[in-house]
């Protein structure tokens, strides 16, 4: 549902978003009204004190005012329940009701101010009555303040700039006028997103590279959200519907729809060996998070274990970059990996590249190899290039191999660090041909297709369950947006029912709703009638074909995850809460095409957490070690794409 238009501007709330806040306000105000009415009826005989007439008048007017407000809010809730997301017709009276409700705030504020003034004058009445009046005034101001906060939250900075197109559509505008309008909207949206990102990243420095990253990221977000007129609750409802739709498709999928074969002994042995390597190297990738992750994983003993290292003065056995105050981080690395101080040559806690990772642009890689079309994620490539310069130009790797020439070079990382590790490995491939990389939960949008194929001989990626990051790319995000629009347009239920059912399904499971899906056929290249109402004022930039601005092949070419991919999937029913028995996992080699869609579910974020991934690896390795004589077990199957 497009955002509501009040006072000549769009707000980040729809007319069907007022059910839950309205019910909550009704609950509070009805209790408040009953309390005030009881106070007046029980203690009105004690209001014959000096100033009691004023207090009596205050209570009577407040009771009447609250009754009017309760009636108005009840009407708002009833109207908000009508229609569907794409059918706001039954809710056309909502704007008038909201104007009435907002108008009632004026007497409410005035009356709360008068009540505070009368209390300040020190009315000499019964103590119970006085305390009741004080509580009444306090509740009045709390509700007024809460309403002001809600108004600030739903305020859309772009609301005043999103002027609708003429009824005939933007193509009836003069070309110059249309171009000016679109450019103005784009500039305003980019400016707003840049302000939001700067606010969220206020602790990051303000150098030139950071400013460029701010602008690039703001342009990406403004482009992604520019062609739809959805409010946050619409997206939440769409995600809830998509999760049930995906589960319904999987439950109804016939076994013969999946082509599989039992792996050969060499392939199975390779999988076991690489899984063991992942299990070993994951502790090093997790150690890079420092003491916060270590304390989180060891809440009762972690602080005691690294406390001595935090207080220890720096030694000269290793080169520490980032400051002497980072010894707590180093102590957690020692505890996580089991290494000693003497095992380290160089330790750097440089972390200024995190913002550049959000930039989704690509750039060519200049490699001394025969691979053509070498493109990579620009932001992560900058981070990898920084580490490469430190390792090569500062002689860190040369020093390491001079001390331990019999060792081999293995690079590891998790999440965006996995992307940087993969790119760094590719850069080091020429001077160090034996280098290998283990990338845990790497981002999908990292390498061009040719570079992805080239990396399969020396990079292994590991992905857990529905982890969203290895499925996150501009193409997949655009696909997710289209699927959200489509599933919302198909659904004929009001939004509050969708959200209630979605919350129940996420928390307690059950049978997914039997929803229409993309598998039902039909032309998917054009938006449905309901979907057109969700587009931003008939946005000319949006199409259900492949010409979305996010799919521009020049600026955002398709990118893929690095290396061969090991996929850990939870099997059985371990429930949705940690109190259920420990989960078991199947392990298989997977093709990158299996991660070409974002999967919705309660674990799409938690499956990315390094501690969850470590526990899954522990379980998978122990299960396979205990069942080496069970080659037909589901965890040993290899799916063929």
């Amino acid at each position: 549902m497009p955002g509501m238009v009040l006072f000549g501007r769009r707000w980040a709330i729809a007319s069907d978003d007022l059910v839950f806040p309205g019910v909550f306000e009704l609950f509070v105000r009805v209790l408040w009204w009953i309390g005030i009415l009881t106070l007046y009826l029980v203690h009105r005989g004690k209001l014959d004190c000096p100033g009691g007439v004023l207090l009596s008048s205050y209570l009577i007017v407040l009771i009447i005012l609250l009754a009017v407000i309760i009636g108005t809010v009840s009407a708002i809730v009833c109207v908000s329940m009508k229609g569907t997301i794409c059918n706001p017709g039954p809710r056309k009276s909502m704007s008038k009701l909201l104007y009435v409700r907002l108008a009632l705030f004026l007497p409410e504020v005035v009356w709360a101010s008068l009540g505070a003034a009368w209390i300040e004058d020190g009315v000499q009445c019964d103590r119970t009555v006085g305390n009741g009046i004080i509580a009444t005034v306090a509740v009045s101001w709390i509700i007024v303040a809460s309403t002001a906060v809600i108004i600030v939250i739903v305020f859309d900075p772009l609301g005043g700039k999103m002027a609708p197109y003429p009824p005939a559509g933007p193509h009836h505008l003069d070309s110059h006028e249309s171009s000016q309008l679109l450019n103005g909207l784009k500039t305003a949206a980019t400016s707003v997103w840049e302000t939001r990102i700067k606010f969220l990243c206020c602790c990051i420095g303000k150098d030139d590279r950071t400013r460029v990253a701010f602008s690039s990221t703001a342009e990406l977000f403004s482009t992604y959200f520019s062609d739809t007129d959805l409010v946050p609750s619409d997206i939440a409802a769409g995600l809830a519907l998509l999760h049930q739709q995906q589960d319904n498709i999987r439950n109804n999928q016939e076994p013969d729809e999946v082509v599989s074969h039992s792996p050969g002994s060499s392939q199975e042995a390779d999988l076991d060996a690489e899984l063991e390597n992942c299990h070993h190297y994951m502790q090093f990738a997790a150690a890079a998070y420092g003491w916060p992750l270590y304390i989180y994983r060891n809440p009762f003993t972690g602080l005691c274990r690294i406390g001595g290292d935090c207080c220890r003065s720096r030694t000269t056995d290793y080169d520490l970059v980032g400051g002497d105050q980072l010894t707590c981080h180093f102590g957690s690395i020692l505890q996580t990996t089991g290494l000693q101080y003497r095992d380290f040559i160089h330790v750097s806690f440089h972390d200024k590249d995190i913002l550049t990772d959000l930039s989704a642009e690509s750039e060519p890689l200049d490699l001394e190899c025969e691979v053509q079309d070498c493109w990579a994620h620009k932001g992560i490539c900058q981070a990898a290039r920084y580490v490469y310069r430190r390792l090569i130009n500062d002689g860190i790797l040369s020093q390491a191999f001079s001390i331990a020439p019999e060792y081999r070079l293995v690079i590891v990382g998790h999440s965006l660090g996995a992307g940087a590790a993969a790119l760094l490995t590719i850069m080091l491939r020429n001077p160090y041909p034996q280098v290998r990389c283990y990338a845990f939960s790497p981002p999908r949008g990292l390498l061009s297709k040719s570079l992805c194929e080239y990396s399969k001989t020396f990079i292994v990626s590991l992905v857990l369950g529905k982890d969203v990051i290895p499925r996150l790319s501009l193409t997949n995000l655009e696909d997710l947006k289209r699927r959200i629009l489509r599933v919302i347009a198909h659904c004929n239920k009001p939004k509050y029912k969708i959200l209630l059912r979605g919350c129940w399904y996420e928390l307690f499971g059950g049978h997914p709703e039997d929803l229409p899906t993309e598998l039902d056929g039909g032309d998917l290249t054009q938006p449905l009638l309901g979907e057109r109402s969700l587009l931003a004022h008939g946005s000319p930039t949006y199409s259900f074909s492949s010409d979305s601005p996010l799919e521009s092949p020049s600026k955002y070419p398709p990118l893929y995850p690095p290396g061969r991919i090991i996929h850990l999937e939870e099997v059985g029913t371990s429930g949705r809460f940690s109190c259920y028995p420990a989960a078991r996992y199947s392990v298989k080699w997977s093709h990158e095409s299996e991660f070409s869609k974002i999967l919705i579910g309660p674990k799409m974020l938690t499956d990315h957490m390094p501690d969850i991934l470590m526990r899954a690896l522990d379980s998978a390795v122990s299960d396979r070690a205990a069942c080496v004589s069970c080659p037909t077990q589901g965890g040993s199957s290899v799916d063929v794409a």
Side-chain angles (χ1 to χ4, degrees):
M1 168 63 192
M4 293 190 63
V5 177
L6 296 172
F7 304 107
R9 68 176 300 120
R10 178 190 182 276
W11 297 78
I13 189 171
S15 58
D16 53 357
D17 285 338
L18 303 175
V19 175
F20 299 120
V23 169
F24 178 76
E25 184 179 359
L26 277 178
F27 176 75
V28 173
R29 288 192 180 274
V30 168
L31 288 182
W32 185 21
W33 184 81
I34 293 174
I36 295 174
L37 183 62
T38 303
L39 177 68
Y40 176 75
L41 294 177
V42 173
H43 298 283
R44 60 182 174 178
K46 301 178 182 179
L47 294 175
D48 54 355
C49 55
V53 176
L54 290 177
L55 294 183
S56 178
S57 301
Y58 173 78
L59 290 177
I60 292 175
V61 173
L62 186 58
I63 290 171
I64 297 174
L65 181 61
L66 280 178
V68 175
I69 292 176
I70 289 172
T72 305
V73 174
S74 299
I76 290 174
V77 171
C78 291
V79 172
S80 186
M81 289 180 173
K82 297 179 179 179
T84 64
I85 296 178
C86 293
N87 179 26
R91 302 189 297 272
K92 60 184 179 181
S93 61
M94 179 61 73
S95 58
K96 297 178 182 178
L97 289 173
L98 285 178
Y99 284 132
V100 173
R101 176 65 190 92
L102 292 173
L104 290 173
F105 273 110
L106 180 60
E108 189 174 15
V109 171
V110 171
W111 213 240
S113 302
L114 290 176
W118 290 336
I119 291 177
E120 183 67 21
D121 291 339
V123 178
Q124 300 175 356
C125 285
D126 183 78
R127 185 172 182 179
T128 303
V129 176
N131 292 337
I133 299 296
I134 292 174
T136 298
V137 173
V139 171
S140 298
W141 281 110
I142 289 174
I143 291 181
V144 170
S146 301
T147 304
V149 171
I150 293 174
I151 292 175
V152 172
I153 292 175
V154 300
F155 178 79
D156 185 358
L158 295 173
K161 303 179 177 64
M162 301 294 286
Y165 292 115
H171 51 277
H172 281 70
L173 292 173
D174 177 76
S175 59
H176 177 69
E177 182 183 354
S178 176
S179 177
Q180 281 188 327
L181 176 61
L182 293 177
N183 288 335
L185 292 176
K186 181 179 179 181
T187 302
T190 302
S191 176
V192 169
W193 276 105
E194 187 169 352
T195 302
R196 291 169 176 170
I197 295 170
K198 286 181 178 179
F199 177 77
L200 292 174
C201 305
C202 57
C203 298
I204 298 179
K206 301 296 188 295
D207 55 22
D208 291 339
R209 188 171 64 175
T210 301
R211 282 190 287 270
V212 171
F214 277 136
S215 300
S216 177
T217 306
E219 183 180 358
L220 169 65
F221 277 88
S222 63
T223 302
Y224 182 71
F225 291 104
S226 65
D227 51 14
T228 56
D229 197 2
L230 298 174
V231 297
S233 61
D234 293 336
I235 299 175
L239 292 175
L241 291 172
L242 271 182
H243 182 204
Q244 297 178 63
Q245 182 189 86
Q246 290 173 350
D247 287 355
N248 195 37
I249 293 173
R250 187 176 65 251
N251 294 342
N252 295 332
Q253 193 172 21
E254 296 296 332
D256 58 0
E257 293 183 37
V258 178
V259 181
S260 62
H261 71 274
S262 298
S265 58
S266 60
Q267 191 176 13
E268 184 71 9
D270 182 45
L271 178 60
D272 285 335
E274 294 295 7
L275 184 65
E276 287 285 354
N277 289 337
C278 289
H279 185 236
H280 172 71
Y281 289 117
M282 179 57 201
Q283 61 184 327
F284 296 94
Y289 286 97
W291 65 264
L293 178 61
Y294 183 77
I295 296 296
Y296 176 77
R297 296 188 64 218
N298 304 274
F300 301 109
T301 61
L303 188 60
C304 297
R305 292 179 180 178
I306 66 173
D309 294 303
C310 292
C311 301
R312 182 178 300 179
S313 60
R314 175 183 167 183
T315 68
T316 58
D317 295 339
Y318 57 91
D319 181 21
L320 177 64
V321 177
D324 293 341
Q325 72 277 12
L326 298 171
T327 50
C328 285
H329 283 305
F330 194 35
S332 68
I333 292 176
L334 296 175
Q335 292 291 336
T336 302
T337 61
L339 299 176
Q340 304 296 322
Y341 279 90
R342 63 178 180 270
D343 297 322
F344 291 84
I345 296 175
H346 179 86
V347 181
S348 174
F349 291 98
H350 177 88
D351 59 355
K352 294 183 179 180
D353 294 308
I354 180 62
L355 187 64
T356 65
D357 293 342
L358 295 177
S359 172
E361 298 180 23
S362 303
E363 69 176 19
L365 276 182
D366 185 15
L367 301 176
E368 298 179 6
C369 63
E370 298 179 355
V371 181
Q372 302 296 323
D373 297 326
C374 296
W375 288 79
H377 184 287
K378 181 177 180 180
I380 302 178
C381 192
Q382 291 175 352
R385 193 173 286 115
Y386 166 82
V387 179
Y388 177 85
R389 288 195 298 265
R390 295 297 307 274
L391 294 177
I392 299 300
N393 298 346
D394 295 355
I396 296 173
L397 279 181
S398 299
Q399 180 187 2
F401 278 107
S402 66
I403 296 174
E406 73 280 6
Y407 278 49
R408 60 173 180 161
L409 179 60
V410 179
I411 302 175
V412 301
H414 175 263
S415 190
L416 295 174
L423 283 172
L424 178 61
T425 304
I426 294 173
M427 295 175 184
L428 291 171
R429 181 69 172 170
N430 188 56
Y432 298 93
Q434 302 303 318
V435 65
R436 289 184 60 81
C437 173
Y438 289 90
F440 301 95
S441 307
R444 175 178 176 81
L446 185 67
L447 306 175
S448 61
K449 186 65 174 178
S450 58
L451 209 52
C452 171
E453 294 296 328
Y454 169 70
S455 67
K456 289 183 178 181
T457 59
F458 53 92
I459 296 179
V460 173
S461 295
L462 186 135
V463 178
L464 173 62
K466 293 184 176 182
D467 188 351
V468 66
I469 299 301
R471 296 174 170 86
L472 202 59
S473 68
L474 291 177
T475 304
N476 287 2
L477 282 174
E478 187 72 8
D479 172 73
L480 176 65
K481 181 168 63 176
R482 295 175 186 177
R483 287 189 287 144
I484 287 176
L485 291 176
R486 183 162 293 275
V487 76
I488 287 176
H490 271 297
C491 189
N492 59 1
K493 293 184 178 180
K495 187 190 298 181
Y496 78 95
K497 289 186 177 181
I498 296 174
L499 295 175
L500 283 175
R501 169 60 180 165
C503 290
W504 181 272
Y505 186 75
E506 298 297 338
L507 292 174
F508 305 107
H511 296 288
E513 295 277 0
D514 187 13
L515 302 168
T517 71
E518 292 93 336
L519 299 182
D520 294 334
D523 180 16
L524 301 183
T525 62
Q526 295 296 328
L528 302 176
L529 180 61
E531 292 169 80
R532 293 184 184 277
S533 67
L534 301 175
L535 303 181
H537 314 297
S539 170
T541 64
Y542 191 87
S543 168
F544 270 63
S545 57
S546 59
D547 54 358
S548 170
L550 284 184
E551 294 185 353
S552 170
S554 58
K555 192 169 186 178
Y556 303 120
L559 299 177
Y560 303 88
R564 295 182 297 164
I565 303 175
I566 297 177
H567 191 197
L568 271 64
E569 288 187 286
E570 186 175 343
V571 295
T573 56
S574 62
R576 299 178 185 263
F577 301 102
S578 58
C579 57
Y580 282 82
R584 300 185 62 187
Y585 297 88
S586 65
V587 185
K588 66 176 182 178
W589 290 111
S590 293
H591 192 267
E592 60 84 14
S593 60
E594 296 184 38
F595 305 94
S596 60
K597 278 191 176 183
I598 295 175
L599 301 181
I600 309 302
K603 295 185 178 181
M604 61 184 294
L605 297 178
T606 57
D607 279 349
H608 187 70
M609 298 297 103
D611 58 310
I612 303 294
L613 183 54
M614 293 179 76
R615 286 204 296 267
L617 273 172
D618 290 340
S619 174
V621 170
S622 62
D623 286 348
R624 289 179 73 86
C627 194
V628 293
S629 60
C630 303
T632 59
Q633 187 174 346
S636 300
S637 66
V638 175
D639 289 350
V640 178

